[in-house]
Amino acid sequence: MPDGATPVLDVKNLKTVFATRSGEVHAVNSVSFDLRPGELLGVVGESGSGKSVTMMSLLGLLPSPPAEVRSGTVMLGGRDILKIGAEELRNVRGREVGFVFQDPMTSLNPVFTVGFQLCEPLRKHLGMSKAQARNRAVELLELVGIPDARRRLGDYPHQFSGGMRQRVMIAIALACDPKVLIADEPTTALDVTIQAQILELVKELRQKLGMAIIWITHDLGVIAGIADRVMVMYGGQVAEHGPVREVFANPAHPYTRALLQTMPKMHGARDAKLRVIEGQPPMLTRHPTACPFMARCAHAFDRCGRENPARRDIGHAHDVACHWDHTTAAPLTAAEASA
Amino acid sequence: MTETPMTDRRKLVEVRDLKMHFPILGGILRRQVGAVKAVDGISFDIFEGETLGVVGESGCGKSTAGRAVLRLYEATAGSIRIDGEDIATLPAEVLRKKRPAMQMVFQDPQASLNPRMTVAGIIGEPLDEHTNWDRKKKLARIYELMDAVGLNRDFANRYPHAFSGGQRQRIGIARALALNPRFIVCDEPIAALDVSIQAQVVNLLEELQDQFGLTYMFISHDLSMVRHIADRVAVMYLGKIVELAPVSRLYDHPLHPYTEALLSAVPEPDPSLERRKDRIVLKGDVPSPANPPKGCNFCTRCPKVMDICREQEPETVEAVPGHFVACHLISHPQTAGRTGGTEAEHNQMKTQQGEVA
Ligand SMILES: Nc1ncnc2c1ncn2[C@@H]1O[C@H](COP(=O)(O)OP(=O)(O)OP(=O)(O)O)[C@@H](O)[C@H]1O
Ligand SMILES: Nc1ncnc2c1ncn2[C@@H]1O[C@H](COP(=O)(O)OP(=O)(O)O)[C@@H](O)[C@H]1O
Ligand code: SF4
Ligand code: SF4
Ligand SMILES: [Mg+2]
Ligand SMILES: [Mg+2]
């Protein structure tokens, strides 16, 4: 991973709020992260932690109302894409950023052939002729490992298996050679042996095409296998972030630590009892003035209820949003806290 | 959790050659033109008080097997003995009396709870159906069940939509426990839950098992959770059990090529282990159970496929006491040796048999 390179994507203080009957939902609360050329950033967190809303906000994919991107900047290619017009944004989505969502059945249009869905962006964004687009479409399907690609251009999505549909979605996302690929839980609906095929494919494509990737999942194992850096989200915020080995070896946030401990292992002695994180994820209906993990945190103390912790650097490009110091297993000292 | 020698245990469930074929109807006359062989001849036992894990990929027949065992489906063929009685042939009225002893917990806690019934109503429904207790006695039992699964009694009059996924699963479990069952089929009970909630529900199931001496058939595609909860594990592929063994043997010494691939595909939440791992990436997709391949049903994807595999279905053999596997590599090691490349398995088999002896 090229360290210090100018990020291809730089997100600062993104805040997204939904208006609902029971008040505002603070789905994304001051999320900042960047993505460097050629790297794979893994995003983990349980359902409702804000992973999808973060990515949809920055691509302008949320219906407004009820969604409102209340603040933040998203720098891509030298401009803030939260401030550009609808037409230019559509171009960004087609050409500069490719994306793949969780369920390929709902994201592929069932009434059009796979060939049509692949050729359309090529003709629209790259101005290719029909024949050029078809040739490129065949190349793309071959790239993602679909056998007999030319013949399959005429097939409809339902004629493909789940794993193949996911490959087609990836091929469409790659069509215009984007600088950034955002994949939102793309293997969640797949079986493990099929998931393994897709993860191999992504590793291979990264090497071949050198693009930067954001990979969203709730599976820490997937992140461990493919990511360079990981961002752990909880309650609409970034709880912890850093190089993947560093975060797994020295998890600093009580949520990350607990999550790693609740997962049963595939090797070694079995635990008599699984460790649990008691309680439920937060509702996000109030503006968070306390730590969102407080109700479930084994280390919570009075300050956690008064002050939502900001992210602080803990060395090795690793940061955490927590008032508790995992190295001393005690609250931060007053000096550290004010620093 | 400890692996007691199996001969000391009593069999609570005995399934032999169970088949569940769903007809495919076609043509204007809606005549049967084929069959989905969702479960195609499986045999296994479940010992009293143990957890049999059933793993395999989507569509391989896990849920169908679970439902057929409880006779929620009328099996196409085979016998199912629960506590010594063949429930596959019991008349409906006799079966009804047996129902309380066998229950099921479903995957989707949302879909399996009636949204118009209160929590007390849902948990108490089996009591209405199978007892003639008065209201007071029923309510006492409902409270007792809510306590057992960790639901606050104050929630008794709320409706399911007001609960989280983990809480809804607790409601489903409380209902399954209402009539003091002995055997529970848990069909993906944690699949719809977040990682941080899964551990809560699994711990609850284990506590209840200890407390009430329950026997579980635990269906899941989560191999690490099955490793945690199961005593023995059956691996299914395309309607068949390809391997069945005590949990530690299955995970440490898998014999079937599909089991090996399945285990190697599980992502490891440890970057240093994860990157060192030799992952077996299977080519292609699972064939349709309406049209399974000839011979071994794994032959279209098996990295170790031999000529014989495309011709002849491998029979299940007990490779090591308690470790069953259906693969020509094991049942015909000579043939396998001739086609080459299987020396390693051959040796592995020997050492494993040595270990046990
Ligand atoms: N009522 C039915 N009619 C026809 N086919 C069926 C029926 N129920 C299941 N099947 C088919 O039988 C096969 C096995 O289904 P089953 O639900 O048992 O799979 P499973 O292993 O539980 O999968 P999953 O992990 O996705 O839950 C599948 O091919 C399925 O489509
Ligand atoms: N259309 C919507 N209206 C109201 N709240 C929403 C809507 N979409 C998402 N949310 C809320 O936003 C939060 C984050 O959701 P999401 O980003 O989808 O989570 P994740 O992708 O991490 O599972 C959740 O609390 C969710 O309930
Ligand atoms: S800030 Fe406090 S409540 Fe939040 S995770 Fe840290 S110790 Fe726990
Ligand atoms: S019988 Fe043949 S095809 Fe089937 S699993 Fe064994 S080696 Fe593979
Ligand atoms: Mg999501
Ligand atoms: Mg199922």
Side-chain angles (χ1 to χ4, degrees):
Chain A
M1 171 182 57
D3 235 344
T6 322
V8 281
L9 180 71
D10 198 353
V11 177
K12 290 225 161 64
N13 297 317
L14 190 68
K15 251 187 225 259
T16 303
V17 175
F18 287 98
T20 70
R21 263 188 298 172
S22 43
E24 288 187 336
V25 173
H26 297 260
V28 174
N29 188 33
S30 274
V31 166
S32 302
F33 66 93
D34 64 6
L35 183 69
R36 296 163 209 158
E39 81 162 335
L40 197 148
L41 174 70
V43 181
V44 279
E46 49 198 51
S47 80
S49 61
K51 306 180 296 293
S52 305
V53 173
T54 299
M55 301 308 155
M56 295 177 77
S57 303
L58 61 91
L59 289 173
L61 286 172
L62 291 171
S64 176
E68 180 196 341
V69 178
R70 194 159 281 177
S71 67
T73 56
V74 178
M75 299 303 292
L76 176 86
R79 68 217 192 281
D80 182 354
I81 59 168
L82 290 183
K83 306 227 154 56
I84 60 181
E87 183 60 23
E88 195 181 349
L89 191 61
R90 263 195 296 279
N91 250 313
V92 166
R93 290 202 294 255
R95 292 202 56 169
E96 296 175 60
V97 182
F99 45 89
V100 182
F101 291 108
Q102 175 163 4
D103 180 0
M105 200 59 207
T106 55
S107 338
L108 286 171
N109 192 329
V111 304
F112 294 116
T113 64
V114 158
F116 177 82
Q117 297 185 59
L118 264 166
C119 290
E120 202 203 29
L122 294 167
R123 302 193 61 193
K124 194 169 106 202
H125 294 298
L126 303 183
M128 286 188 181
S129 72
K130 218 169 174 172
Q132 280 172 326
R134 282 186 75 81
N135 286 336
R136 174 77 179 135
V138 171
E139 266 172 41
L140 286 163
L141 286 183
E142 280 169 354
L143 182 69
V144 297
I146 301 232
D148 207 4
R150 190 167 291 275
R151 190 181 61 74
R152 304 228 57 175
L153 287 181
D155 285 353
Y156 290 87
H158 72 89
Q159 289 168 284
F160 291 80
S161 70
M164 285 167 101
R165 283 197 291 265
Q166 202 51 278
R167 286 165 188 266
V168 171
M169 281 300 296
I170 294 175
I172 294 175
L174 297 177
C176 298
D177 230 342
K179 284 180 288 199
V180 176
L181 175 70
I182 299 179
D184 190 356
E185 311 235 18
T187 56
T188 307
L190 304 176
D191 278 317
V192 282
T193 66
I194 307 298
Q195 166 171 299
Q197 289 175 355
I198 300 285
L199 294 178
E200 283 305 308
L201 170 68
V202 168
K203 285 191 215 168
E204 199 188 297
L205 290 176
R206 255 185 91 190
Q207 295 209 310
K208 272 194 211 162
L209 310 176
M211 75 191 123
I213 302 176
I214 297 176
W215 196 271
I216 302 176
T217 173
H218 59 262
D219 188 337
L220 285 166
V222 169
I223 296 287
I226 61 169
D228 301 304
R229 282 192 298 152
V230 56
M231 176 162 99
V232 182
M233 292 192 66
Y234 191 85
Q237 300 178 185
V238 178
E240 179 161 15
H241 153 262
V244 75
R245 278 167 195 271
E246 165 65 23
V247 171
F248 279 81
N250 299 305
H253 196 282
Y255 172 66
T256 320
R257 296 169 72 90
L259 203 56
L260 283 166
Q261 283 173 345
T262 58
M263 297 186 61
K265 307 282 177 289
M266 284 293 284
H267 300 283
R270 293 196 297 184
D271 300 317
K273 214 170 156 58
L274 291 175
R275 301 266 217 118
V276 300
I277 306 178
E278 296 292 351
Q280 305 295 327
M283 300 293 287
L284 307 180
T285 41
R286 270 173 304 137
H287 186 73
T289 51
C291 171
F293 191 53
M294 186 174 174
R296 307 175 74 188
C297 181
H299 306 295
F301 57 107
D302 50 356
R303 187 175 166 204
C304 311
R306 291 194 309 267
E307 189 187 329
N308 192 351
R311 287 163 74 179
R312 64 189 165 87
D313 224 322
I314 55 172
H316 309 283
H318 184 177
D319 64 75
V320 61
C322 175
H323 298 309
W324 177 79
D325 182 350
H326 75 290
T327 56
T328 59
L332 288 177
T333 61
E336 286 166 323
S338 60
Chain B
M1 299 268 303
T2 48
E3 284 161 30
T4 321
M6 274 158 289
T7 40
D8 300 355
R9 300 242 210 129
R10 213 173 69 86
K11 290 175 186 171
L12 185 66
V13 179
E14 289 178 77
V15 173
R16 291 295 173 271
D17 299 314
L18 180 66
K19 289 187 182 169
M20 185 66 225
H21 294 183
F22 296 103
I24 305 172
L25 304 177
I28 19 174
L29 296 175
R30 310 291 298 153
R31 266 203 300 245
Q32 183 169 348
V33 293
V36 178
K37 297 174 181 168
V39 169
D40 198 22
I42 61 173
S43 300
F44 59 90
D45 298 327
I46 309 180
F47 296 95
E48 192 157 35
E50 83 163 344
T51 298
L52 177 74
V54 179
V55 300
E57 297 181 278
S58 186
C60 70
K62 306 181 294 294
S63 304
T64 306
R67 289 168 163 268
V69 166
L70 293 187
R71 210 172 141 189
L72 298 176
Y73 287 144
E74 293 298 331
T76 310
S79 73
I80 304 151
R81 299 180 79 80
I82 294 187
D83 213 4
E85 216 162 349
D86 191 341
I87 69 145
T89 52
L90 280 185
E93 196 38 42
V94 188
L95 180 69
R96 211 186 85 86
K97 294 218 178 68
K98 287 236 142 198
R99 281 258 169 252
M102 19 190 234
Q103 294 292 325
M104 186 140 179
V105 173
F106 297 92
Q107 164 165 0
D108 186 353
Q110 173 78 54
S112 58
L113 303 180
N114 184 339
R116 274 180 285 277
M117 283 170 81
T118 63
V119 169
I122 291 168
I123 298 175
E125 199 181 15
L127 300 174
D128 298 337
E129 212 170 305
H130 287 275
T131 71
N132 41 28
W133 294 358
D134 60 29
R135 272 201 56 195
K136 207 171 135 224
K137 190 167 177 192
K138 273 189 218 159
L139 196 62
R141 176 68 179 150
I142 289 166
Y143 283 150
E144 194 177 272
L145 289 161
M146 291 182 76
D147 293 346
V149 300
L151 282 171
N152 194 322
R153 290 180 177 201
D154 298 341
F155 296 160
N157 293 318
R158 296 205 192 166
Y159 292 87
H161 69 86
F163 291 89
S164 68
Q167 287 173 320
R168 284 191 208 118
Q169 200 51 287
R170 288 172 196 266
I171 299 170
I173 294 169
R175 179 179 55 186
L177 290 175
L179 298 165
N180 287 318
R182 301 175 60 195
F183 174 51
I184 302 183
V185 174
C186 306
D187 188 4
E188 306 263 12
I190 56 168
L193 307 176
D194 262 317
V195 186
S196 77
I197 308 298
Q198 289 182 349
Q200 295 178 1
V201 172
V202 166
N203 279 352
L204 171 66
L205 286 170
E206 288 187 312
E207 281 160 26
L208 296 170
Q209 180 167 44
D210 290 346
Q211 201 177 335
F212 302 113
L214 300 172
T215 303
Y216 291 145
M217 177 168 170
F218 188 90
I219 297 172
S220 176
H221 62 265
D222 182 338
L223 287 133
S224 49
M225 200 56 94
V226 167
R227 179 174 184 263
H228 172 78
I229 197 172
D231 299 294
R232 293 186 307 133
V233 181
V235 181
M236 285 189 73
Y237 186 81
L238 212 57
K240 299 191 191 283
I241 292 179
V242 297
E243 186 161 10
L244 191 158
V247 67
S248 60
R249 278 208 54 94
L250 190 101
Y251 283 75
D252 299 341
H253 305 283
L255 294 177
H256 197 282
Y258 176 64
T259 313
E260 286 179 351
L262 197 62
L263 292 173
S264 92
V266 177
E268 188 82 50
D270 177 343
S272 49
L273 282 180
E274 177 60 34
R275 283 168 209 222
R276 248 190 289 126
K277 194 154 141 178
D278 286 319
R279 172 156 295 141
I280 305 166
V281 179
L282 293 177
K283 302 249 163 23
D285 296 304
V286 185
S288 155
N291 188 18
K294 184 175 175 215
C296 170
N297 63 5
F298 188 49
C299 72
T300 54
R301 299 173 82 200
C302 180
K304 297 176 177 173
V305 61
M306 303 170 291
D307 292 339
I308 184 181
C309 309
R310 297 199 182 85
E311 293 301 324
Q312 209 175 307
E313 185 182 337
E315 50 185 309
T316 303
V317 295
E318 191 166 6
V320 177
H323 190 157
F324 300 87
V325 58
C327 170
H328 288 305
L329 288 169
I330 311 299
S331 46
H332 291 100
Q334 312 85 336
T335 330
R338 272 208 306 279
T339 16
T342 50
E343 199 70 7
E345 275 88 359
H346 208 136
N347 292 338
Q348 199 187 6
M349 274 294 298
K350 276 194 219 144
T351 49
Q352 279 162 6
Q353 271 162 344
E355 265 167 36
V356 173

